[in-house]
Amino acid sequence: MLSSLFFPPKWRDQTSAYRSCSYRLIRRRQLTESPDLGDQESVALVTYKSFQPHAKVTGFDGEQWMTWPDYIGLGWKVTQERMKADWKGIWDYALPHVRATEEEVARTEETLGFRLPESYRGFLLASNGWPCFYQDMTIFSTDDLLGGPLYDAGRIPLDLPECVESMAIDGVVAADYFTVAASETQNDVALLGRPGTPAEGAVAWWGGEVMDRYKDFLEYYLSMLEYNKLDIEDIREKDGPKPDGVIHAVLGDNPYDDGVIILPRSAAERT
């Protein structure tokens, strides 16, 4: 286990059951269960087991295949429910970014030297990154893929020999991957298989060890939605109902707040 290796004591001291590797492994085994999110009308959600990629939805024009904007809208609904439950402000929250243009994605690919796998490419063309998508993890934007603090944090497990060896034990060859989601406060990263390698298009979630593997970025994204829903259940059980007169996700109560905007309910409902 390498979970305490990378970040200064300030962050390691903050580690709780929410952040522990063993907690996430236990929760992974519970993904086939449907957590009780309450009777809120806005959470018309189903579990990851039944809500598979490329599902169909009924719209104004009849039955249609879901697209990335649909999946991002689903993710935002889950985020809103976490915000409502999280009245003590355990986590930071942010809106998904505005989509990247085809030109922005193409320029990034030219710099990287390869075309991005289609599933992640589709995400960027619908939302160019999403801060705090799952706990403190941020899905990379086109800029994050090329450099910056998140890029540097995401490179750590790919550059440290002990991490590379740990991945190899679970069949993940570090050289075959690049980082597409990371955190500056915890060591979880999502690694996406490079084109032309055996891992092409697949995602490996690493957090001190290989937590899980997914066939593509969409499958990883939907799995993280399920972890978010499980967090909602845990937060409600731990903190109880929100007292009258208190907004959820209170800004400033989190001693590790890094300045990411936490949206009050009124702002979330206007989106």
Side-chain angles (χ1 to χ4, degrees), residues 159-265:
D159 292 337
L160 287 178
E162 53 266 53
C163 297
V164 172
E165 292 172 10
S166 174
M167 291 181 197
I169 292 172
D170 289 316
V172 173
V173 179
D176 290 350
Y177 291 84
F178 64 103
T179 308
V180 292
S183 165
E184 294 182 63
T185 63
Q186 58 192 92
N187 63 351
D188 294 63
V189 295
L191 306 173
L192 183 59
R194 294 175 177 271
T197 70
E200 180 172 354
V203 174
W205 174 19
W206 193 86
E209 62 184 85
V210 177
M211 307 291 296
D212 217 335
R213 299 168 76 172
Y214 308 92
K215 67 178 183 181
D216 60 17
F217 185 77
L218 177 57
E219 187 172 276
Y220 163 78
Y221 174 93
L222 292 175
S223 180
M224 293 302 102
L225 292 194
E226 293 306 311
Y227 280 103
N228 276 330
K229 291 196 285 181
L230 290 168
D231 272 359
I232 294 170
E233 181 185 24
D234 290 337
I235 292 169
R236 286 180 175 158
E237 181 178 348
K238 177 178 177 292
D239 295 340
K242 178 175 67 68
D244 293 340
V246 177
I247 64 171
H248 62 75
V250 178
L251 180 63
D253 278 4
N254 185 342
Y256 300 98
D257 175 33
D258 61 1
V260 175
I261 295 173
I262 299 175
L263 299 172
R265 180 175 182 181

Side-chain angles (χ1 to χ4, degrees), residues 9-196:
K10 158 180 166 179
W11 298 114
R12 296 203 298 268
D13 291 344
Q14 188 199 10
T15 300
S16 67
Y18 287 112
R19 298 181 187 277
S20 73
C21 184
S22 59
Y23 166 83
R24 293 192 300 265
L25 287 170
I26 292 169
R27 284 318 228 168
R28 184 176 69 191
R29 292 195 292 268
Q30 297 173 343
L31 284 184
T32 56
E33 300 174 5
S34 179
D36 179 11
L37 300 183
D39 9 7
Q40 292 91 335
E41 194 171 322
S42 61
V43 184
L45 304 178
V46 292
T47 65
Y48 175 57
K49 182 177 180 181
S50 60
F51 190 73
Q52 293 296 329
H54 314 303
K56 286 187 176 181
V57 293
T58 302
F60 293 112
D61 298 326
E63 195 174 52
Q64 303 171 355
W65 292 109
M66 289 189 71
T67 62
W68 263 114
D70 298 315
Y71 292 121
I72 289 168
L74 179 68
W76 178 239
K77 286 184 179 180
V78 175
T79 297
Q80 286 178 302
E81 292 307 316
R82 287 193 67 195
M83 291 165 60
K84 292 174 185 177
D86 186 16
W87 58 271
K88 289 189 177 181
I90 299 171
W91 302 108
D92 292 327
Y93 300 91
L95 288 161
H97 288 172
V98 174
R99 69 182 183 88
T101 64
E102 179 64 40
E103 291 74 19
E104 288 173 320
V105 173
R107 283 196 300 269
T108 299
E109 291 172 329
E110 183 177 4
T111 302
L112 292 171
F114 57 82
R115 182 179 174 88
L116 295 168
E118 292 305 318
S119 185
Y120 176 59
R121 198 176 198 277
F123 169 83
L124 293 173
L125 291 171
S127 173
N128 193 9
W130 192 338
C132 303
F133 165 71
Y134 170 62
Q135 296 185 355
D136 289 337
M137 289 187 73
T138 290
I139 300 177
F140 280 14
S141 66
T142 50
D143 287 341
D144 294 325
L145 289 169
L146 301 179
L150 278 170
Y151 174 89
D152 293 340
R155 283 296 315 176
I156 292 173
L158 295 176
D159 292 337
L160 287 178
E162 53 266 53
C163 297
V164 172
E165 292 172 10
S166 174
M167 291 181 197
I169 292 172
D170 289 316
V172 173
V173 179
D176 290 350
Y177 291 84
F178 64 103
T179 308
V180 292
S183 165
E184 294 182 63
T185 63
Q186 58 192 92
N187 63 351
D188 294 63
V189 295
L191 306 173
L192 183 59
R194 294 175 177 271

